[in-house]
Amino acid sequence: MLTKKVKRRNKIRSRIRKKITGTADIPRLSVYRSNKHIYAQIINDELGHTLVAASSKEDKDVDLKAPKKDAALKVGEILGAKATEAGIENVVFDRGGYLYHGRVKALADGARKGGLKF
């Protein structure tokens, strides 16, 4: 059973996805935010492949006892570093229906610190 919040976010998400698509040249940076963790992946939508991924759950550099914003910033930096290793410089940012503040903004700032441009 979906709550009003989730339905609203899915509606916003579908509106965003109509306009944003990832290509081989400029892939899409997608964000998912759960209550505990934050996940980000860079996707080529033409092939349907995830090129690079990072999360607060799997990366050992992320301190889970720190505030969630700090963890999101670290995940963004890790994702940016992985992307530059893979030869990805430019991405299009898909906030996934979330407002662009807090953890989502921190992840985006970390990705910019890591070397991504969007």
Side-chain angles (χ1 to χ4, degrees):
M1 187 164 143
L2 297 175
T3 62
K4 282 184 184 179
K5 249 187 193 180
V6 175
K7 285 182 184 178
R8 179 181 170 278
R9 188 181 72 81
N10 284 336
K11 198 190 258 188
I12 295 168
R13 186 173 169 265
S14 63
R15 263 197 321 258
I16 291 169
R17 286 290 288 123
K18 272 191 236 177
K19 299 172 192 167
I20 294 176
T21 181
T23 62
D25 297 331
I26 303 174
R28 174 172 59 99
L29 191 160
S30 177
V31 175
Y32 176 72
R33 189 190 77 185
S34 71
N35 286 337
K36 267 190 179 179
H37 299 286
I38 191 155
Y39 307 85
Q41 52 186 342
I42 296 177
I43 304 166
N44 178 353
D45 288 320
E46 292 173 340
L47 300 175
H49 291 311
T50 298
L51 306 173
V52 179
S55 73
S56 60
K57 192 174 187 178
E58 295 176 358
D59 291 318
K60 292 172 179 53
D61 296 334
V62 178
D63 182 18
L64 295 177
K65 294 184 180 177
K68 293 178 192 175
K69 258 191 195 180
D70 296 343
L73 183 73
K74 189 68 179 169
V75 168
E77 290 173 359
I78 292 168
L79 184 75
K82 285 182 180 181
T84 49
E85 283 178 19
I88 301 167
E89 289 180 9
N90 295 321
V91 294
V92 68
F93 190 71
D94 176 11
R95 59 189 174 91
Y98 303 107
L99 296 177
Y100 186 79
H101 69 74
R103 289 192 281 160
V104 176
K105 185 173 188 247
L107 187 133
D109 292 340
R112 285 188 188 101
K113 265 190 197 174
L116 288 177
K117 295 176 189 163
F118 54 93

